[in-house]
Amino acid sequence: ERRVAAFESLTKIPELKPVPRHRLSDEIEKIVQEHLKFDLVDDFNSNIWELLAADGEMKVYRRELEENGIVLDPLKAVHSVKGVTGHEVCKYFWDPAVRMEWEGTLDSSRMLEALSDDTLIFNQVHKRVWPAAQRDTCFWSHIRSVSKENKNDLDDWIVVNYSTTHDSAPIKEPMIRAWANVALICSTIILNRDKYADLSSVPRENLVCKITYVAQVNPGGWAPANVLRAVYKREYPKFLKRFTQYVMDKTKKLPILL
Ligand code: 18C
């Protein structure tokens, strides 16, 4: 049923056509649906989440979780950014052509395969954090729009980056393979919507993009808990600030991507 909604919403966007099925279609569908179901639940008053950092509209929360001495702290952040749409934010997060312009935690990013117009597979090498071994990741990255019931609203957008394996990315010791399940979900609010006959005439200043970002990372081997938590605390807020500023700067003079 949701595939139909996605199909309809994709057909009205010129650069995204409905995509044929491929070997990861079922897994992607399941993981995307899980994110859409759980990530948007407003559970910040439930004692589940501990505030890790706050700056203006941005709030970064974490939940302490360790298994067999490995830190798996789930992370959830919310942000609200003016002047951009969810489509724009997700597009820049997903697009390999601009990744290195905003990603500050990578030594390299290599696209291994395009499974379809909306799903790519990457192998990324992360900056080494002393004193731990260097980490890499291999993941599929999927982008899609999610139709709203009210046709006066802009679609929501989501990108999921989810670890996988790939023949072209064997683990090369001493590198350690980290595992990630990351989602960026964006919802666009239009201020004074009734003043504008059609969406294409809405000015940027009337756009507000509500961002939810969740990340579950398994460092994939020993890493000192205190160093790791210090890296989280520093890097996630830095990423959210830097990336959203990047999207605002890039889109400022461009026509709005609805
Ligand atoms: O979501 C982000 N970026 C996406 C596109 O690149 C993609 C990335 C997922 C991140 C997976 C993290 C894998 C861990 C690798 C080690 C990290 C080293 C950090 C170096 C810092 C200088 O979805 C934006 C992500 C931005 C924040 C990432 C910080 C993650 C820190 C996790 C640390 C876990 C490994 C610890 C290694 C040793 C520490 C002592």
Side-chain angles (χ1 to χ4, degrees):
E1 175 216 320
R2 224 209 63 79
R3 285 311 301 177
V4 176
F7 180 91
E8 281 169 1
S9 70
L10 289 175
T11 50
K12 64 175 192 264
I13 297 156
E15 76 265 34
L16 285 177
K17 297 185 290 296
V19 295
R21 288 182 54 80
H22 51 74
R23 67 179 188 276
L24 291 177
S25 296
D26 291 341
E27 175 179 277
I28 291 171
E29 194 54 35
K30 175 173 159 276
I31 302 299
V32 167
Q33 292 309 330
E34 280 175 16
H35 279 296
L36 290 172
K37 184 167 174 192
F38 298 114
D39 300 348
L40 299 172
V41 177
D42 182 351
D43 52 1
F44 295 118
N45 291 323
S46 62
N47 292 332
I48 297 174
W49 298 100
E50 174 194 341
L51 187 65
L52 193 65
D55 187 349
E57 293 289 314
M58 178 186 85
K59 290 187 179 63
V60 183
Y61 301 85
R62 68 110 180 258
R63 194 154 60 83
E64 280 204 13
L65 180 69
E66 279 178 46
E67 256 169 45
N68 305 321
I70 295 185
V71 173
L72 301 175
D73 298 0
L75 183 125
K76 179 165 164 176
V78 289
H79 200 355
S80 176
V81 190
K82 291 208 178 95
V84 294
T85 64
H87 188 182
E88 289 169 331
V89 173
C90 282
K91 183 188 134 106
Y92 283 91
F93 186 70
W94 181 79
D95 186 350
V98 300
R99 174 103 12 109
M100 297 307 274
E101 291 180 27
W102 60 263
E103 242 293 12
T105 73
L106 297 180
D107 274 351
S108 66
S109 175
R110 182 166 66 106
M111 195 181 95
L112 305 176
E113 190 181 342
L115 277 166
S116 55
D117 284 357
D118 58 13
T119 308
L120 311 172
I121 299 182
F122 292 92
N123 183 202
Q124 299 197 144
V125 178
H126 296 266
K127 284 184 178 158
R128 186 173 166 218
V129 181
W130 185 88
Q134 189 162 35
R135 261 66 176 175
D136 79 341
T137 47
C138 179
F139 60 91
W140 52 256
S141 182
H142 174 81
I143 185 168
R144 76 162 62 159
S145 60
V146 183
S147 315
K148 294 283 243 218
E149 269 162 37
N150 185 342
K151 288 295 146 201
N152 280 328
D153 290 336
L154 285 177
D155 289 346
D156 286 346
W157 281 80
I158 178 169
V159 175
V160 178
N161 293 339
Y162 190 89
S163 277
T164 189
T165 54
H166 197 278
D167 289 345
S168 312
I171 300 169
K172 290 198 191 102
E173 286 183 8
M175 190 93 75
I176 292 183
R177 178 68 44 94
W179 293 82
N181 181 2
V182 172
L184 178 79
I185 307 178
C186 296
S187 187
T188 314
I189 294 168
I190 304 168
L191 308 173
N192 301 318
R193 173 70 184 87
D194 46 349
K195 276 199 194 158
Y196 304 93
D198 61 299
L199 284 165
S200 56
S201 57
V202 174
R204 280 205 180 271
E205 67 221 42
N206 288 26
L207 300 173
V208 181
C209 181
K210 298 274 179 196
I211 298 174
T212 303
Y213 174 86
V214 298
Q216 258 181 287
V217 174
N218 184 328
W222 182 83
N226 59 338
V227 180
L228 206 144
R229 288 197 165 114
V231 172
Y232 275 133
K233 195 179 166 133
R234 185 187 68 218
E235 294 301 325
Y236 284 111
K238 197 163 137 188
F239 146 66
L240 282 162
K241 272 187 91 162
R242 178 174 156 150
F243 169 67
T244 51
Q245 188 60 51
Y246 172 83
V247 178
M248 287 191 278
D249 292 345
K250 277 281 169 182
T251 52
K252 204 163 44 198
K253 297 204 172 81
L254 295 178
I256 295 169
L257 189 57
L258 292 171

